[in-house]
Amino acid sequence: SWHEATAYCNALSDLAGLDHCYECVGNGETVRCGPSDAFAALNECPGFRLPTEAEWEYAARAGTTTVTYAGDPEVFFESCEASAVLNTIAWWCNNSDRRTHTVGTKHPNDFGLYDMHGNVWEWCNDWYDVYTSIPVTDPVGPTNGSDRVVRGGSFESVAGNTRAALRTWAEPDRRDNGVGFRPVRSIVH
């Protein structure tokens, strides 16, 4: 769940001797977490945390402007047909046998990151909301909501669900083998 992922980030922070980015109560499947009040903004926390969805997309794109960091797939959006582009970088409905795979077995992006497309959806820190038409730089999402953002697609995803720009949501209590997370740290000056 999103709560378990953020509690894990706190545990990583403990191991590294860093401040927690989340305040949690309970443990295991009953843990409930929220952002720590110790920092004015999430990116000010020196500990481990989940990326904002803007950070996630920046990391997934690795400087590219195409559908994936390897280019535009040559298959239809709703397709599970083989794709030379997707099959080199992602575990998705065409090649996954409907299961997760070991991270790092496909080609990384130019930042050296693996599995940004496919394999498992990844929790982001942000609450889900529709985008506004007002341009923003490095947005952090709304301060509350009912669902958290997940990005990247999974081993069950069709071609269109593995693109860098696709965003969807899940209830923060959701536990699913098709949803994972990628801890990050801010560079705090």
Side-chain angles (χ1 to χ4, degrees):
S1 73
W2 183 91
H3 296 289
E4 290 170 294
T6 55
Y8 184 90
C9 289
N10 279 354
L12 284 178
S13 295
D14 285 342
L15 289 173
L18 301 169
D19 291 328
H20 288 182
C21 296
Y22 303 97
E23 294 175 5
C24 301
V25 295
N27 55 48
E29 292 182 31
T30 64
V31 71
R32 293 296 174 266
C33 300
S36 172
D37 291 333
F39 305 96
L42 183 69
N43 65 355
E44 292 178 9
C45 177
F48 289 90
R49 60 180 176 81
L50 297 178
T52 65
E53 73 170 307
E55 290 169 332
W56 186 95
E57 188 170 333
Y58 179 84
R61 288 187 178 282
T64 65
T65 58
T66 51
V67 171
T68 74
Y69 61 81
D72 296 328
E74 64 281 20
V75 296
F76 180 66
F77 189 82
E78 295 296 325
S79 177
C80 279
E81 294 175 30
S83 164
V85 171
L86 287 177
N87 286 5
T88 62
I89 64 168
W91 294 109
W92 63 299
C93 66
N94 174 264
N95 63 1
S96 69
D97 295 324
R98 304 284 197 221
R99 63 181 179 84
T100 58
H101 290 266
T102 303
V103 173
T105 56
K106 295 289 185 178
H107 295 286
N109 67 17
D110 285 347
F111 290 167
L113 300 173
Y114 293 87
D115 294 283
M116 295 301 294
H117 302 287
N119 213 8
V120 294
W121 291 98
E122 295 184 8
W123 287 113
C124 292
N125 190 75
D126 300 23
W127 289 106
Y128 181 84
D129 200 358
V130 295
Y131 285 154
T132 67
S133 59
I134 301 167
V136 294
T137 301
D138 200 18
V140 294
T143 56
N144 57 49
S146 59
D147 298 304
R148 294 287 184 170
V149 173
V150 291
R151 301 289 295 257
S154 79
F155 59 89
E156 297 178 307
S157 292
V158 295
N161 286 355
T162 61
R163 58 195 175 96
L166 184 84
R167 58 194 299 264
T168 192
W169 64 91
E171 293 178 355
D173 293 333
R174 178 181 176 171
R175 301 178 85 237
D176 185 314
N177 68 346
V179 181
F181 64 102
R182 183 179 304 262
V184 300
R185 283 190 55 211
S186 295
I187 299 172
V188 180
H189 302 287

